[in-house]
Amino acid sequence: MGVHRKTRNLELVLDAFRNTQEALSAHLLIERLPVDVNRSTVYRLLDRLEDDGVVHSFLASENIRFYALCKECNQSGHVHSHAHFQCTSCSQVVCLEQEVAVPTLNQYRVDEAQVLLKGQCATCMR
Amino acid sequence: MGVHRKTRNLELVLDAFRNTQEALSAHLLIERLPVDVNRSTVYRLLDRLEDDGVVHSFLASENIRFYALCKECNQSGHVHSHAHFQCTSCSQVVCLEQEVAVPTLNQYRVDEAQVLLKGQCATCMR
DNA sequence: TAACTAATGCGACTGTGTTGCAATAATGCA
DNA sequence: TGCATTATTGCAACACAGTCGCATTAGTTA
Ligand SMILES: [Mn+2]
Ligand SMILES: [Mn+2]
Ligand SMILES: [Zn+2]
Ligand SMILES: [Zn+2]
């Protein structure tokens, strides 16, 4: 898609994702950046990275979009249908290996299945 | 939970849900009420109805909470694990019969599975 | 009918995400 | 290296979902 100049902010954002197993909201991401980066800039970077198939995004609670690195996507389209998990105690979100089967329905053509599992993570269980 | 006085607004909200097969966002609901009802009031009514097991809610895109009547819930708790469908053309949202199986995971205790299917509804397909 | 208090409307607020615009900086090329 | 081009950035203002405190209104009960 868009041109990608190798800017400091872009590198910082990618580093943040590479340094964690978690999925990150824009807010969490900004907290973890070692320098201040403007909110708009972060959103724009995330949009661009998503267009380019570098990250994917999905909604978790409460009405917040989370982002994580893609494994096998590129600018020609996102191909994943894995589930996500959010801990109801610490709010941490992760991508799961679990592939999600897209079911067939009578009345509807289903293109996509979004699955968010909620419960407790290992850390919060003890 | 809370006391339920039989107010005009409460009746109007319940009627709106009874008169449709769709799930409704607060915004859609307000549009369909035959008289003006304040936004805060609508949100408070929806909260109360949800506490009482009369409606359930779930998130659809874009970051919007939808509400629909419950079939077998009451104030002692919500028991449903059905999927929801949202049409990507007309944005309409419906509850599906489809029960969702809550999977078991190694690292996490899963309490709940939220499934949102996206695609096209019958009307939008032709 | 009157007292009690739940429900309501209003305005202000929070938080996520978006946008127009002027300033800045990465890039490619002379 | 120096310069022109233009992508990227920061900022301020905005849109919109949802929440909250508070004064007013209106169900309910006696
Ligand atoms: Mn993921
Ligand atoms: Mn439902
Ligand atoms: Zn946790
Ligand atoms: Zn449709």
Side-chain angles (χ1 to χ4, degrees):
Chain A
M1 271 259 121
V3 178
H4 259 207
R5 290 185 178 176
K6 189 181 170 183
T7 63
R8 184 203 58 168
N9 290 342
L10 180 62
E11 289 308 309
L12 292 176
V13 166
L14 286 174
D15 284 347
F17 281 113
R18 291 192 196 108
N19 290 332
T20 183
Q21 307 295 347
E22 287 173 69
L24 299 175
S25 63
H27 181 80
L28 280 174
L29 174 55
I30 288 170
E31 283 186 346
R32 298 194 184 186
L33 294 177
V35 299
D36 280 357
V37 179
N38 185 271
R39 205 156 40 102
S40 308
T41 301
V42 168
Y43 281 113
R44 285 188 281 228
L45 285 171
L46 290 170
D47 284 352
R48 265 174 31 217
L49 290 172
E50 185 162 21
D51 281 346
D52 294 350
V54 179
V55 304
H56 64 286
S57 78
F58 55 94
L59 296 176
S61 43
E62 286 290 325
N63 287 345
I64 291 172
R65 183 167 295 279
F66 279 73
Y67 297 83
L69 290 180
C70 291
K71 293 196 174 126
E72 299 158 19
C73 302
N74 53 53
Q75 55 277 44
S76 65
H78 283 276
V79 243
H80 24 213
S81 48
H82 56 268
H84 296 103
F85 177 89
Q86 181 164 36
C87 176
T88 46
S89 299
C90 66
S91 299
Q92 198 170 98
V93 178
V94 291
C95 294
L96 297 173
E97 299 290 325
Q98 297 269 329
E99 283 298 310
V100 170
V102 176
T104 341
L105 294 179
N106 276 341
Q107 315 262 356
Y108 310 96
R109 191 191 73 222
V110 182
D111 298 326
E112 190 191 344
Q114 298 179 357
V115 177
L116 180 66
L117 305 180
K118 303 188 70 176
Q120 281 208 306
C121 71
T123 311
C124 290
M125 264 167 60
R126 26 180 148 76
Chain B
M1 271 263 123
V3 178
H4 259 207
R5 292 183 176 178
K6 189 182 170 181
T7 63
R8 183 204 58 167
N9 290 342
L10 180 62
E11 290 307 309
L12 292 177
V13 166
L14 287 174
D15 283 348
F17 281 113
R18 291 192 196 108
N19 290 330
T20 184
Q21 308 294 346
E22 289 172 68
L24 300 174
S25 63
H27 181 81
L28 280 173
L29 175 55
I30 289 170
E31 282 186 348
R32 298 195 183 187
L33 294 177
V35 299
D36 280 357
V37 179
N38 185 272
R39 205 156 41 104
S40 308
T41 302
V42 168
Y43 281 113
R44 285 188 281 229
L45 285 171
L46 290 170
D47 284 352
R48 266 172 31 218
L49 289 172
E50 186 161 22
D51 281 345
D52 294 351
V54 178
V55 304
H56 63 287
S57 77
F58 55 94
L59 296 176
S61 42
E62 287 287 326
N63 288 345
I64 291 172
R65 184 167 294 278
F66 279 74
Y67 297 82
L69 290 180
C70 291
K71 293 196 171 125
E72 298 159 18
C73 302
N74 53 54
Q75 55 277 44
S76 65
H78 283 276
V79 242
H80 24 211
S81 48
H82 56 268
H84 296 102
F85 177 88
Q86 180 164 37
C87 176
T88 45
S89 298
C90 66
S91 299
Q92 200 171 94
V93 178
V94 292
C95 294
L96 298 173
E97 300 290 325
Q98 297 269 331
E99 283 298 310
V100 170
V102 176
T104 342
L105 294 179
N106 277 341
Q107 314 261 357
Y108 310 97
R109 191 191 74 222
V110 182
D111 298 325
E112 189 191 345
Q114 299 179 358
V115 177
L116 179 66
L117 305 180
K118 304 189 71 176
Q120 281 208 304
C121 71
T123 310
C124 290
M125 265 168 60
R126 29 178 148 77

Coordinates of all heavy atoms in Angstrom, one line a residue, chain A residues 3-5 7 9 38 40-41 44-45 48 63, chain D residues 5-14 17-18:
Chain A
V3 N 3.7 4.1 0.9 CA 5.2 4.1 1.0 C 5.5 3.9 2.5 O 4.8 4.3 3.3 CB 5.7 5.4 0.5 CG1 7.2 5.5 0.7 CG2 5.3 5.7 -0.9
H4 N 6.6 3.2 2.7 CA 7.1 3.1 4.1 C 8.5 3.6 4.2 O 9.5 3.0 3.9 CB 7.1 1.6 4.4 CG 5.9 1.2 5.2 ND1 6.0 0.1 6.1 CD2 4.7 1.7 5.3 CE1 4.8 0.0 6.7 NE2 4.0 0.9 6.2
R5 N 8.5 4.8 4.7 CA 9.8 5.4 5.1 C 10.2 4.8 6.4 O 9.3 4.6 7.3 CB 9.7 6.9 5.2 CG 9.5 7.5 3.9 CD 9.5 9.0 4.0 NE 9.4 9.6 2.7 CZ 9.3 10.9 2.5 NH1 9.3 11.8 3.5 NH2 9.2 11.4 1.2
T7 N 11.0 5.2 9.6 CA 11.1 6.3 10.6 C 11.3 5.7 12.0 O 11.1 4.5 12.2 CB 9.8 7.1 10.6 OG1 8.7 6.2 11.0 CG2 9.4 7.7 9.3
N9 N 9.6 6.2 14.6 CA 8.4 5.8 15.3 C 7.9 4.4 14.8 O 7.5 3.6 15.5 CB 7.2 6.8 15.0 CG 7.4 8.1 15.7 OD1 8.2 8.1 16.7 ND2 6.8 9.1 15.3
N38 N 3.0 10.7 19.4 CA 1.6 11.2 19.3 C 0.6 10.1 19.0 O 0.8 9.3 18.2 CB 1.5 12.4 18.3 CG 0.2 13.0 18.3 OD1 -0.7 12.6 17.6 ND2 0.0 14.0 19.1
S40 N -2.2 10.2 17.4 CA -2.6 10.1 16.0 C -1.6 9.4 15.2 O -2.0 8.6 14.3 CB -2.8 11.5 15.4 OG -3.6 12.3 16.2
T41 N -0.4 9.7 15.4 CA 0.7 9.0 14.7 C 0.7 7.5 14.9 O 0.8 6.7 14.0 CB 2.1 9.5 15.2 OG1 2.1 10.9 14.9 CG2 3.2 8.9 14.4
R44 N -2.2 6.0 13.0 CA -1.9 6.0 11.6 C -0.8 4.9 11.3 O -1.0 4.2 10.2 CB -1.4 7.4 11.1 CG -2.6 8.3 11.0 CD -2.2 9.7 10.4 NE -1.5 10.5 11.3 CZ -1.8 11.8 11.5 NH1 -2.8 12.4 10.8 NH2 -1.1 12.6 12.3
L45 N 0.1 4.7 12.1 CA 1.1 3.6 11.9 C 0.4 2.3 12.0 O 0.7 1.4 11.1 CB 2.2 3.7 13.0 CG 3.2 4.8 12.8 CD1 4.1 4.9 14.0 CD2 4.1 4.6 11.5
R48 N -1.5 1.7 8.8 CA -0.6 1.4 7.7 C -0.1 -0.1 7.8 O -0.1 -0.8 6.8 CB 0.5 2.4 7.6 CG 0.2 3.5 6.6 CD 1.2 4.6 6.6 NE 2.6 4.2 6.9 CZ 3.4 5.0 7.6 NH1 3.0 6.1 8.1 NH2 4.6 4.6 7.8
N63 N -14.8 -2.6 24.1 CA -14.8 -1.8 22.9 C -13.5 -1.2 22.5 O -13.4 -0.1 22.0 CB -15.8 -0.6 23.1 CG -17.2 -1.0 23.1 OD1 -17.5 -2.1 22.7 ND2 -18.1 -0.1 23.6
Chain D
dT5 P 10.5 20.1 -6.5 OP1 10.1 20.0 -7.9 OP2 10.1 21.2 -5.7 O5' 10.1 18.7 -5.8 C5' 10.6 17.5 -6.4 C4' 10.1 16.3 -5.5 O4' 10.8 16.3 -4.2 C3' 8.6 16.4 -5.2 O3' 8.0 15.1 -5.4 C2' 8.6 16.8 -3.7 C1' 9.8 16.1 -3.2 N1 10.4 16.7 -2.0 C2 11.0 15.8 -1.0 O2 10.9 14.6 -1.2 N3 11.5 16.4 0.1 C4 11.6 17.8 0.3 O4 12.1 18.2 1.4 C5 11.0 18.6 -0.7 C7 11.0 20.1 -0.5 C6 10.5 18.1 -1.8
dT6 P 6.5 14.9 -5.5 OP1 6.2 13.8 -6.5 OP2 5.8 16.2 -5.6 O5' 6.1 14.3 -4.0 C5' 6.8 13.1 -3.6 C4' 6.5 12.9 -2.1 O4' 7.3 13.9 -1.3 C3' 5.1 13.2 -1.6 O3' 4.7 12.3 -0.6 C2' 5.1 14.6 -1.1 C1' 6.5 14.5 -0.4 N1 7.1 15.7 0.2 C2 7.9 15.6 1.2 O2 8.2 14.5 1.7 N3 8.4 16.7 1.7 C4 8.2 18.0 1.2 O4 8.7 19.0 1.7 C5 7.2 18.1 0.1 C7 6.9 19.4 -0.5 C6 6.7 16.9 -0.3
dA7 P 3.7 11.1 -0.9 OP1 4.1 10.4 -2.2 OP2 2.3 11.6 -0.7 O5' 4.1 10.1 0.3 C5' 5.3 9.5 0.3 C4' 5.8 9.4 1.7 O4' 6.2 10.7 2.2 C3' 4.8 8.9 2.7 O3' 5.5 8.0 3.6 C2' 4.3 10.1 3.4 C1' 5.5 11.0 3.4 N9 5.3 12.5 3.3 C8 4.4 13.1 2.5 N7 4.5 14.4 2.6 C5 5.4 14.6 3.6 C6 5.8 15.8 4.2 N6 5.4 17.0 3.9 N1 6.8 15.7 5.2 C2 7.2 14.5 5.6 N3 6.8 13.3 5.0 C4 5.9 13.4 4.1
dT8 P 4.8 7.3 4.8 OP1 5.5 6.0 5.1 OP2 3.3 7.2 4.5 O5' 5.0 8.3 6.1 C5' 6.3 8.5 6.5 C4' 6.4 9.5 7.6 O4' 5.9 10.8 7.1 C3' 5.4 9.2 8.8 O3' 6.3 9.0 9.9 C2' 4.5 10.4 8.8 C1' 5.3 11.4 8.2 N1 4.5 12.6 7.5 C2 4.8 13.9 7.9 O2 5.7 14.2 8.7 N3 4.1 14.8 7.2 C4 3.2 14.7 6.2 O4 2.6 15.6 5.7 C5 2.9 13.3 5.9 C7 1.9 13.0 4.8 C6 3.6 12.3 6.5
dT9 P 5.7 8.7 11.3 OP1 6.7 8.0 12.1 OP2 4.4 8.0 11.1 O5' 5.4 10.1 12.0 C5' 6.5 11.0 12.3 C4' 6.0 12.3 12.7 O4' 5.3 12.9 11.7 C3' 5.1 12.3 13.9 O3' 5.8 12.7 15.1 C2' 4.0 13.2 13.6 C1' 4.4 13.9 12.3 N1 3.4 14.1 11.3 C2 3.1 15.4 10.9 O2 3.7 16.4 11.4 N3 2.1 15.6 9.9 C4 1.4 14.6 9.3 O4 0.6 14.8 8.4 C5 1.8 13.2 9.7 C7 1.1 12.0 9.1 C6 2.7 13.1 10.7
dG10 P 5.2 12.6 16.6 OP1 6.4 12.4 17.5 OP2 4.1 11.6 16.5 O5' 4.6 14.0 16.7 C5' 5.4 15.2 16.6 C4' 4.5 16.4 16.8 O4' 3.7 16.6 15.6 C3' 3.6 16.4 18.0 O3' 3.7 17.7 18.6 C2' 2.2 16.1 17.4 C1' 2.3 16.7 16.1 N9 1.5 16.1 15.0 C8 1.3 14.8 14.8 N7 0.6 14.5 13.7 C5 0.3 15.8 13.2 C6 -0.5 16.1 12.1 O6 -1.1 15.4 11.3 N1 -0.6 17.5 11.9 C2 0.0 18.4 12.7 N2 -0.1 19.7 12.4 N3 0.8 18.1 13.8 C4 0.9 16.8 14.0
dC11 P 3.0 18.0 20.1 OP1 4.0 18.8 20.8 OP2 2.6 16.7 20.6 O5' 1.8 18.9 19.7 C5' 2.0 19.9 18.7 C4' 0.6 20.4 18.2 O4' 0.1 19.5 17.2 C3' -0.5 20.3 19.3 O3' -1.0 21.6 19.5 C2' -1.5 19.4 18.8 C1' -1.3 19.4 17.3 N1 -1.7 18.2 16.5 C2 -2.4 18.4 15.3 O2 -2.6 19.6 14.9 N3 -2.8 17.3 14.6 C4 -2.5 16.1 15.0 N4 -2.9 15.1 14.3 C5 -1.8 15.9 16.3 C6 -1.4 17.0 17.0
dA12 P -1.9 21.9 20.8 OP1 -1.2 23.0 21.6 OP2 -2.3 20.6 21.5 O5' -3.2 22.5 20.2 C5' -3.2 23.1 18.9 C4' -4.6 22.9 18.3 O4' -4.7 21.6 17.6 C3' -5.7 22.9 19.3 O3' -6.9 23.6 18.7 C2' -6.0 21.4 19.4 C1' -5.8 20.9 18.0 N9 -5.5 19.5 17.9 C8 -4.9 18.7 18.8 N7 -4.8 17.4 18.5 C5 -5.4 17.4 17.2 C6 -5.6 16.4 16.3 N6 -5.2 15.1 16.5 N1 -6.2 16.7 15.2 C2 -6.6 17.9 15.0 N3 -6.5 19.0 15.7 C4 -5.8 18.7 16.9
dA13 P -8.2 23.8 19.6 OP1 -8.1 25.2 20.2 OP2 -8.3 22.7 20.6 O5' -9.4 23.7 18.6 C5' -9.1 23.5 17.2 C4' -10.0 22.4 16.7 O4' -9.3 21.2 16.8 C3' -11.3 22.2 17.4 O3' -12.4 22.4 16.5 C2' -11.2 20.8 18.1 C1' -10.3 20.2 17.1 N9 -9.6 19.0 17.7 C8 -8.9 19.0 18.9 N7 -8.4 17.8 19.1 C5 -8.7 17.0 18.0 C6 -8.5 15.7 17.7 N6 -7.8 14.8 18.5 N1 -8.9 15.2 16.5 C2 -9.6 16.1 15.7 N3 -9.9 17.3 15.9 C4 -9.4 17.8 17.1
dC14 P -13.9 22.2 17.0 OP1 -14.7 23.1 16.2 OP2 -14.0 22.3 18.5 O5' -14.3 20.7 16.6 C5' -14.1 20.3 15.3 C4' -14.2 18.8 15.2 O4' -13.2 18.2 16.1 C3' -15.5 18.3 15.8 O3' -16.4 17.9 14.7 C2' -15.1 17.0 16.6 C1' -13.6 16.9 16.4 N1 -12.8 16.4 17.5 C2 -12.4 15.1 17.5 O2 -12.6 14.4 16.5 N3 -11.6 14.6 18.5 C4 -11.4 15.4 19.6 N4 -10.7 14.9 20.6 C5 -11.8 16.8 19.6 C6 -12.5 17.2 18.6
dA17 P -22.5 6.7 18.3 OP1 -23.0 5.7 17.3 OP2 -23.3 7.8 18.7 O5' -21.9 5.9 19.5 C5' -21.0 4.8 19.3 C4' -20.4 4.4 20.7 O4' -19.7 5.4 21.3 C3' -21.5 3.9 21.6 O3' -21.1 2.8 22.3 C2' -21.6 5.1 22.6 C1' -20.2 5.7 22.6 N9 -20.2 7.1 22.7 C8 -20.9 8.1 22.1 N7 -20.6 9.3 22.5 C5 -19.7 9.2 23.4 C6 -19.0 10.1 24.2 N6 -19.1 11.4 24.1 N1 -18.0 9.6 25.1 C2 -17.9 8.3 25.2 N3 -18.5 7.3 24.5 C4 -19.4 7.8 23.6
dG18 P -22.2 2.0 23.2 OP1 -21.6 0.6 23.2 OP2 -23.5 2.2 22.7 O5' -21.9 2.6 24.6 C5' -20.7 2.5 25.2 C4' -20.5 3.4 26.4 O4' -20.6 4.8 25.9 C3' -21.7 3.3 27.4 O3' -21.1 2.8 28.6 C2' -22.1 4.7 27.6 C1' -21.0 5.5 27.0 N9 -21.3 6.9 26.6 C8 -22.2 7.2 25.6 N7 -22.3 8.5 25.5 C5 -21.5 9.0 26.4 C6 -21.2 10.4 26.7 O6 -21.6 11.4 26.2 N1 -20.2 10.5 27.8 C2 -19.7 9.4 28.4 N2 -18.8 9.7 29.4 N3 -19.9 8.1 28.1 C4 -20.8 8.0 27.1

